[in-house]
Amino acid sequence: MKNDGGTRVVVIGTGFVGASYAFALMNQGIADEIVLIDANESKAIGDAMDLNHGKVFAPKPAVIRHGDYSDCHDADLVVICAGANQKPGETRLDLVDKNIAIFRSIVESVMASGFQGLFLVATNPVDILTYATWKFSGLPQERVIGSGTILDTARFRFLLGEYFSVAPQNVHAYIIGEHGDTELPVWSQADIGGVPIRKLVEAKGEQAKEELERIFTDVRDAAYQIIEKKGATYYGIAMGLARVTRAILHNENAILTVSAYLDGPYGERDVYIGVPAVINRNGIREVIEIELNDDEKNRFHHSAATLKSVLARCFTR
């Protein structure tokens, strides 16, 4: 049973992403209890053992164990990392059919436990599967969150920081839209230390515009490059999931670019998509509607339309 007053996070799927996420939770002392569930129970048992052996070095003691769907009953957060992985040459949207069926089974099993917490979805295509989790669970939209473009935004800030030789924490810029090929950078609102990036680019000359466009291409295609080199991406997204988890469990009201349900903001409805949103203990408190220029608006609507075309095939609208 969960300790009174403690926080329980259930991780479903202990592959590269799920195990890395649990490791990040332990290292940062974010949760009081971490429960690991995997279709391969032996894998979950082994991961729990391995993590526990490092617990003496962690900043805060936590209960770490393998479990089953009954443990979701009084969990604060269920994080889904299970599903088919993206292979070399596959887009994230290519994974839809495989993972929709997997998610139906997982979400129905979680809800059968009496779960009343929040879902956080990491599996790709994350926007589609977050929508699926919302549909299958019957929970209010604000209690189902996808990792969205949190990793894309982190990659963007890192590469811009390298380019301008400043710490990425001082780069304020967003990637929004689908976590995938139609995502877009919001150049019009990007700044470093309060100075708009467009002004910094003007000072560097015409070549800088081409270099910044290459930076965005590297952000958009980063997963393809990493998968080609090592087979999967997991450290970056694990850290991103840990950041969202901290915002939830610590009731931070932090603004993060997650996959949130839109019902009017940005002129879009009935779609989960990556946008800045305020995250706290109740999930998504509100979507932040940043001002976009005409080109960014068109690209965002194209991204949403791409997701909706997939949803139309998978769900009765």
Side-chain angles (χ1 to χ4, degrees), residues 187-191 195-203 209 212:
W187 289 116
S188 64
Q189 300 298 328
D191 72 79
V195 180
I197 282 182
R198 64 178 181 271
K199 287 190 176 181
L200 298 173
V201 170
E202 288 170 4
K209 294 181 182 179
L212 290 190

Side-chain angles (χ1 to χ4, degrees), residues 1-3 8-11 14 22 26 32-38 41 43-52 55 62-75:
M1 296 295 292
K2 185 173 76 167
N3 296 327
R8 174 184 291 175
V9 175
V10 175
V11 184
T14 61
M26 181 186 75
D32 297 303
E33 184 177 5
I34 304 166
V35 181
L36 307 178
I37 299 175
D38 197 275
E41 186 180 17
K43 174 68 165 63
I45 292 171
D47 278 320
M49 292 174 64
D50 200 4
L51 288 166
N52 275 309
K55 198 159 60 176
V63 174
I64 304 173
R65 61 183 179 84
H66 82 282
D68 56 38
Y69 287 110
S70 66
D71 291 299
C72 298
H73 171 69
D74 52 1

Side-chain angles (χ1 to χ4, degrees), residues 53 89 143 162 172 195 222 235 241 243 253 267 273-274:
H53 295 162
R143 284 166 51 193
E162 279 201 327
H172 305 287
V195 180
Y235 296 134
L241 292 170
R243 179 67 190 92
N253 291 308
I273 195 167

